[in-house]
Amino acid sequence: MQSAQQVSAPTPQQFDVAIIGAGPSGSVAASLLHQQGKRVIVIEKQHFPRFSIGESLLPCCMNVLEKAKLIDAVNQAGFQFKNGAAFNSQGRYTEFDFTDKFSVGHGTTFQVERGQFDKLLADTAAKQGVKIRYGHSVESIDLTETPRLAITDEHGLAYDIEAEFILDASGFGRVLPRLLDLEIPSSLPTRSAVFTHIEDNIDQVDLEGFNFDRDKILISVHPENKDIWYWLIPFSHGRCSVGVVGEPHLLGDLDGDLQAILQRFINEEPRLNQLLSKAKFVRECGLLQGYSANVKTLATDKFALLGNAGEFLDPVFSSGVTIAMQSADLASQCLLKQLDGQPVDWQTDYAQPLMIGVDTFRTYVEAWYDGRFQDVIFFPDADPKIKQMICSILAGYAWDETNPFVAESERRLKMIVELCRA
Ligand code: FAD
């Protein structure tokens, strides 16, 4: 029999970086760090493919995918090509072509079913040599000395790992914000989204002169309430993602039949009603509520929050995956320096640069809901140069401070709103 002293806990496995979650931010960070010779482990709670919301990408994220050497796999996967965004409100219709933008960089991207997309990124990172453990969940963290994660696998086996640094890429799981009490309320009001996938059958519909371009996301505004909006995201195989978003009191009783609720809202918007007149729901409707989130701090010298594990704003401009990948790129750059013994100030080197883009999106998200940005978007006589600058932001280039609508977003927006409303 062993005495109590003889029973010692196994030595935790050691890594340079442990990443919580294998969504886009986790896979991109893992790939970037692994390619620089760092010992990376990714701990993912679920098995892939798994459903995730967030299906319309922005061209800006293609630059990060390129850097992480994940872009070839994405280009070859047969996803729906995307070159812009279309907006529809009360008979007004306008399009933004992302290739006609102010900033330098990719001008096109894809619309993706996230189960397939996230698996592709994770599998491609794994082929590069990244280790991913599926079905393993991070349960707690100890930051007293070298960061240590307590993990449980799907059979209930518990073990610890130690890493010089932890990247939290757990998305809406928000693992470190919960465990380290970092959560603070978002500045944005609580909103809800009801969504599903449909077999759209739009090719069988008489569009009666409507434009419909599968290469663009279509954002529609409710005819009587500009605070309610819809997304229609075409996929490559005759299906679309469709959803309605609004404050809970505007969407009504969400305890009821979600499909009936979504169908009722679709029926209320004439163009969407026409477009989807032959559509069939092919997935149970989902409901997400109160998804906007914020934190006290995005990083210290022992951990950084990526993507949705940090701040999440709002889905209206499809910025989530782009912010997630941008955060993965920025954090990886800081981390490579720190692991090489160079000084890093995580506030000035990571949080502040990341917040340039997040705050730019915030300006336009808030102005979307108060109606100002909707007036800009639907303004019929837009100056082509200004339209290119706005287009850059809609394409995800919210960190490009050579764009005046990024560098001075609030002031420029005010000026343009006054012009549009004159
Ligand atoms: P995720 O993709 O959420 O990945 C996190 C991973 O962490 C998951 O796989 C999860 O299983 C894992 N995990 C969680 N907890 C643990 C744990 N304890 N241990 C181990 N692993 C764990 N973005 C867009 O770009 N375009 C859109 O069109 C868009 N539409 C949206 C619509 C709505 C209604 C909402 C709410 C969001 C939308 N978003 C959109 C945002 C988008 O969903 C997210 O920004 C994006 O998925 C964030 O990626 P991520 O890598 O941070 O996390």
Side-chain angles (χ1 to χ4, degrees):
M1 224 174 92
Q2 286 181 311
S3 73
Q5 276 169 336
Q6 285 171 306
V7 181
S8 56
T11 313
Q13 300 156 37
Q14 316 274 330
F15 298 92
D16 294 323
V17 186
I19 301 180
I20 311 172
S25 58
S27 289
V28 164
S31 170
L32 289 168
L33 292 164
H34 173 80
Q35 284 171 40
Q36 297 304 315
K38 302 304 166 200
R39 294 171 306 153
V40 180
I41 182 80
V42 181
I43 304 296
E44 168 55 56
K45 190 175 178 171
Q46 302 188 60
H47 285 272
F48 282 16
R50 52 92 179 94
F51 179 83
S52 175
I53 198 73
E55 297 146 326
S56 192
L57 306 182
L58 299 181
C60 180
C61 79
M62 303 302 280
N63 300 301
V64 184
L65 288 173
E66 192 165 21
K67 194 169 168 188
K69 300 192 171 68
L70 298 168
I71 197 167
D72 289 346
V74 172
N75 279 334
Q76 288 156 18
F79 292 123
Q80 171 64 48
F81 176 76
K82 175 181 173 186
N83 63 12
F87 294 85
N88 155 46
S89 175
Q90 295 181 320
R92 296 175 299 174
Y93 177 85
T94 188
E95 288 182 354
F96 286 80
D97 174 352
F98 290 161
T99 61
D100 188 16
K101 61 175 169 36
F102 173 85
S103 304
V104 177
H106 286 269
T108 64
T109 185
F110 297 100
Q111 318 214 97
V112 299
E113 283 172 287
R114 285 285 303 280
Q116 194 193 343
F117 177 73
D118 290 12
K119 182 169 177 355
L120 180 74
L121 295 189
D123 286 352
T124 311
K127 273 190 207 144
Q128 294 170 351
V130 170
K131 291 190 177 63
I132 306 178
R133 291 184 191 159
Y134 292 99
H136 292 223
S137 174
V138 171
E139 308 294 348
S140 66
I141 184 166
D142 182 351
L143 294 173
T144 323
E145 291 173 18
T146 303
R148 183 186 275 229
L149 294 177
I151 295 166
T152 309
D153 75 9
E154 57 206 320
H155 308 294
L157 183 73
Y159 66 97
D160 287 0
I161 60 172
E162 275 186 2
E164 295 300 316
F165 201 89
I166 312 292
L167 290 175
D168 183 359
S170 63
F172 292 116
R174 303 181 63 72
V175 172
L176 293 195
R178 278 188 295 104
L179 293 174
L180 299 174
D181 193 21
L182 302 176
E183 305 258 26
I184 52 170
S186 169
S187 58
L188 295 162
T190 298
R191 294 196 169 87
S192 303
V194 182
F195 52 87
T196 192
H197 288 177
I198 51 173
E199 210 132 82
D200 59 76
N201 296 318
I202 291 173
D203 53 357
Q204 297 169 28
V205 175
D206 177 3
L207 293 180
E208 295 170 1
F210 282 1
N211 286 338
F212 179 67
D213 182 353
R214 288 199 87 84
D215 296 347
K216 293 183 174 62
I217 184 174
L218 175 64
I219 301 291
S220 303
V221 181
H222 190 277
E224 276 144 37
N225 193 332
K226 66 172 175 45
D227 291 338
I228 300 175
W229 63 271
Y230 311 75
W231 75 74
L232 185 68
I233 301 175
F235 296 134
S236 57
H237 49 63
R239 291 189 175 185
C240 282
S241 170
V242 61
V244 61
V245 176
E247 290 184 43
H249 69 277
L250 298 175
L251 297 189
D253 178 11
L254 295 173
D255 291 333
D257 175 353
L258 290 177
Q259 181 167 329
I261 292 167
L262 181 54
Q263 187 64 64
R264 175 169 66 79
F265 276 100
I266 290 171
N267 294 348
E268 286 173 5
E269 203 296 305
R271 184 183 291 244
L272 219 45
N273 188 31
Q274 176 78 14
L275 277 174
L276 301 185
S277 54
K278 298 207 185 311
K280 290 192 176 58
F281 287 55
V282 292
R283 240 195 102 83
E284 203 179 324
C285 285
L287 169 67
L288 276 172
Q289 310 211 60
Y291 36 73
S292 300
N294 203 353
V295 283
K296 287 177 204 162
T297 181
L298 279 171
T300 70
D301 59 355
K302 291 189 174 176
F303 71 84
L305 311 180
L306 307 183
N308 274 28
E311 180 165 7
F312 179 70
L313 292 171
D314 187 272
V316 68
F317 301 127
S318 309
S319 55
V321 171
T322 296
I323 292 173
M325 290 193 190
Q326 208 66 26
S327 67
D329 183 19
L330 274 169
S332 301
Q333 289 175 42
C334 292
L335 198 37
L336 288 170
K337 277 204 212 159
Q338 180 163 308
L339 293 171
D340 281 354
Q342 298 173 48
V344 173
D345 180 329
W346 282 87
Q347 291 314 306
T348 53
D349 298 341
Y350 174 66
Q352 285 172 18
L354 179 61
M355 290 312 287
I356 289 171
V358 176
D359 286 339
T360 303
F361 279 122
R362 188 194 322 279
T363 302
Y364 295 98
V365 165
E366 286 174 353
W368 169 268
Y369 286 103
D370 69 25
R372 289 178 299 153
F373 198 45
Q374 293 191 21
D375 288 351
V376 172
I377 279 180
F378 290 109
F379 187 63
D381 304 316
D383 177 286
K385 282 232 156 54
I386 290 179
K387 188 160 181 178
Q388 285 177 339
M389 292 172 185
I390 302 279
C391 194
S392 263
I393 291 159
L394 295 177
Y397 290 89
W399 290 264
D400 176 6
E401 291 181 287
T402 63
N403 182 349
F405 282 79
V406 171
E408 308 173 295
S409 54
E410 198 50 71
R411 195 174 79 81
R412 289 288 177 157
L413 176 69
K414 198 163 170 264
M415 277 167 53
I416 188 82
V417 170
E418 278 166 12
L419 277 174
C420 294
R421 288 183 171 174

